[in-house]
Amino acid sequence: MRIIGIETSCDETGIAVYAPGEGILAQQLHSQIKLHADYGGVVPELASRDHISRITGLIDRCLQQAGLEKSAIDGVAYTAGPGLVGALLVGVSVGRSLAYAWNCPAIAVNHMEAHLLAVMLEEQAPEPPFVALLVSGGHTQLVLVKAVGEYELLGESQDDAAGEAFDKTAKLLGLGYPGGPQLSALAQQGRSDVHHFPRPMTGKPGLDFSFSGLKTAVALAIAGLDEDEQARADLACGFVDAVVDTLAIKCERALEATGVNQLVAAGGVSANVQLRQRLQDMTRARGGQVFYPRPDYCTDNGAMIAYAGYVKLQRQTGEPLSFGARPRWPITA
Ligand code: KG4
Ligand code: ZN
């Protein structure tokens, strides 16, 4: 069986083919970073148009790379949500049209579930139950994975997502879009004892997050600062420490509350080296284990959609021909 996956929920057009037992046979990824860089963030209309102009070429190239005819494809998986509605609709309509033309099932994939399942493509993969920390540009969630497909939302951000906080703070520090990786690199030049920013919502019980206050704390700190490189690096370091600490504290709390000792971190921010190290230390100290997708599978990609599509196809047989995008699609629904 071979499933092609199509990702167009935000600013990456990702295509991949997955085959059980063999893994990812081929993948193509086009990032729109350059397109949006001048605007300091994703411009939804530009994103949709760019997906349209790239998608069929990338699908052709992916099939070619895998050495497959289209008749060899047994299912077409596409991200149906959550994400930008115009961008989603490109993948939804192309995915469903191809499935119709190729006479195979069309599989609507939840982007956050795909992030969560990406870790299963690694040699070191956990067996449920485990707790998953999903940290992307639009979402920060803690999910109890009782079984693949059976999820309980334990907590989520009440305002900005962790990735959003990274991007907004990076902008305050004059770094380009997307800010996460650049802010993380700058933080490595900084000193961790200069700033101590709040660890939001860690002082009271619960597993929800709030990150919007952190960027305000950084903005206030910037106002009273010299514009030299070391000062910016120190600020970046203080910010990253605060986010990483907050995420780690909540993860540990979620492990304690559920009695589970395996943690998965997934989504763009889980590529962050400081977070990976911190979660590693925290789980080790508890005698547990943390699992990550490889960095390329933490950020948006077609491989996780192809794999999640395969998993979903095991549970159902295709979908009715009416279609839609779900810009807000809870992982538990
Ligand atoms: O999962 P993702 O690629 O897209 C969404 O589904 O949103 O996540 C993108 C987010 C962006 O906010 C980006 O700045 C952040 O992930 N990100 C990082 C790193 N790499 C990507 N944040 C911190 N450190 C990184 N190394
Ligand atoms: Zn994503």
Side-chain angles (χ1 to χ4, degrees):
M1 174 178 289
R2 296 179 191 92
I3 306 294
I4 192 163
I6 300 175
E7 158 61 31
T8 65
S9 70
C10 190
D11 57 349
E12 254 109 26
T13 321
I15 312 291
V17 178
Y18 173 78
E22 294 175 81
I24 297 299
L25 302 182
Q27 55 180 321
Q28 294 287 325
L29 188 72
H30 175 77
S31 163
Q32 300 178 353
I33 285 179
K34 280 199 192 113
L35 179 69
H36 302 292
D38 285 350
Y39 304 92
V42 179
V43 182
E45 182 59 25
L46 294 182
S48 316
R49 287 168 190 237
D50 198 64
H51 286 307
I52 291 173
S53 69
R54 311 250 176 208
I55 191 165
T56 48
L58 288 171
I59 290 171
D60 282 345
R61 227 169 298 150
C62 193
L63 288 175
Q64 221 172 47
Q65 187 191 358
L68 294 174
E69 294 295 325
K70 51 198 181 213
S71 57
I73 296 298
D74 303 293
V76 183
Y78 54 88
T79 306
L84 302 170
V85 68
L88 287 168
L89 276 171
V90 179
V92 173
S93 35
V94 170
R96 293 202 69 102
S97 307
L98 287 180
Y100 181 71
W102 297 349
N103 196 26
C104 63
I107 312 145
V109 166
N110 179 303
H111 183 83
M112 298 313 292
E113 183 180 14
H115 269 307
L116 188 161
L117 293 175
V119 73
M120 300 301 186
L121 290 166
E122 303 303 333
E123 234 164 69
Q124 273 237 340
E127 279 280 328
F130 56 84
V131 167
L133 171 71
L134 303 179
V135 270
S136 68
H139 293 81
T140 301
Q141 299 180 324
L142 274 164
V143 177
L144 173 61
V145 179
K146 296 173 184 168
V148 171
E150 203 184 321
Y151 309 118
E152 182 186 333
L153 185 64
L154 301 171
E156 63 184 333
S157 180
Q158 303 299 298
D159 41 56
D160 291 356
E164 199 176 349
F166 262 96
D167 294 339
K168 287 177 175 171
T169 304
K171 213 172 190 176
L172 287 172
L173 289 171
L175 301 170
Y177 169 83
Q182 297 184 48
L183 186 53
S184 168
L186 182 61
Q188 283 168 4
Q189 315 301 318
R191 295 164 296 184
S192 58
D193 54 354
V194 179
H195 298 279
H196 187 85
F197 293 118
R199 275 56 173 160
M201 295 181 79
T202 53
K204 54 179 182 180
L207 295 169
D208 287 334
F209 303 91
S210 165
F211 287 112
S212 69
L214 255 183
K215 68 167 188 293
T216 313
V218 175
L220 291 172
I222 288 177
L225 238 139
D226 303 335
E227 277 292 301
D228 72 76
E229 193 60 19
Q230 187 60 50
R232 287 169 68 245
D234 292 343
L235 268 177
C237 186
F239 168 82
V240 172
D241 280 353
V243 173
V244 164
D245 225 25
T246 304
L247 292 171
I249 289 168
K250 295 282 168 147
C251 283
E252 183 158 27
R253 208 177 271 180
L255 294 174
E256 259 157 35
T258 54
V260 166
N261 227 355
Q262 298 186 103
L263 179 70
V264 165
V269 180
S270 69
N272 182 274
V273 286
Q274 292 97 330
L275 179 65
R276 289 168 92 99
Q277 187 59 52
R278 181 76 164 76
L279 293 181
Q280 181 109 356
D281 295 344
M282 182 271 285
T283 47
R284 247 191 216 152
R286 298 173 47 85
Q289 208 178 344
V290 63
F291 300 84
Y292 305 104
R294 71 197 71 174
D296 285 355
Y297 290 173
C298 289
T299 46
D300 290 350
N301 64 85
M304 67 182 191
I305 307 302
Y307 178 72
Y310 163 72
V311 168
K312 203 170 166 192
L313 192 61
Q314 306 306 295
R315 305 201 297 255
Q316 64 172 48
T317 49
E319 301 226 329
L321 206 56
S322 64
F323 74 83
R326 299 179 64 179
R328 290 173 192 278
W329 183 6
I331 194 170
T332 46

